Amino acid sequence: MATLSSNEIKKEKIIIYRDQPHIVISHEMKKFGRGGASNSTKLKNLITGSNISVTFSGSEKADEADVVSNNIQFLYSDETKAYFMDPISFEQVESRDRKYSWREKFFKRRRALPWNVFQ
């Protein structure tokens, strides 16, 4: 896990904030005359989906999240879970959460989908 200074926190970086993974949606660097700089960011929690605004001062640091990105294939879904498969290892993965179930009607069988795993 790498430590990022406030000026390295940029759009689409995944950081740990308050012990949960967040993706940076937007950022704006502000530099003050004799004072330091600050980085105003909008973060999206990858677990709950909530958005927050956070300002990092010039001396603050954040940890970069350990995330593995790969592709998976959608297999099928039932009333309780959706099932996916890793095309390389053929390991099947079940979704534990049904809050995104409305998106499943747009999934096509055997189509590769991006998959991020937070470790």
Side-chain angles (χ1 to χ4, degrees):
M1 196 177 320
T3 301
L4 302 173
S5 63
S6 65
N7 63 343
E8 294 174 322
I9 300 172
K10 301 193 184 280
K11 188 174 181 176
E12 297 183 6
K13 287 269 189 181
I14 300 175
I15 64 171
I16 302 295
Y17 181 74
R18 294 188 180 164
D19 298 326
Q20 291 190 337
H22 289 76
I23 187 164
V24 179
I25 297 170
S26 66
H27 76 98
E28 181 181 355
M29 290 295 295
K30 296 178 185 175
K31 190 165 187 168
F32 305 109
R34 296 188 116 189
S38 68
N39 189 358
S40 298
T41 61
K42 288 187 182 176
L43 305 176
K44 180 173 185 170
N45 188 318
L46 295 178
I47 295 174
T48 64
S50 63
N51 293 332
I52 57 172
S53 295
V54 179
T55 301
F56 295 94
S57 68
S59 62
E60 290 185 77
K61 298 184 183 298
D63 290 327
E64 189 170 15
D66 289 331
V67 176
V68 176
S69 299
N70 58 2
N71 289 327
I72 60 166
Q73 291 178 347
F74 173 70
L75 297 176
Y76 63 94
S77 63
D78 58 19
E79 301 84 33
T80 59
K81 295 180 183 175
Y83 300 89
F84 302 90
M85 180 184 68
D86 182 350
I88 296 170
S89 67
F90 301 106
E91 178 183 350
Q92 286 193 10
V93 179
E94 302 173 356
S95 68
R96 296 178 289 182
D97 196 352
R98 297 298 292 175
K99 70 179 177 180
Y100 299 113
S101 62
W102 62 272
R103 293 182 183 177
E104 290 173 16
K105 63 183 174 184
F106 300 106
F107 292 166
K108 293 183 179 176
R109 287 190 174 187
R110 304 286 183 199
R111 183 164 182 226
L113 301 168
W115 187 261
N116 296 322
V117 179
F118 171 66
Q119 297 179 343

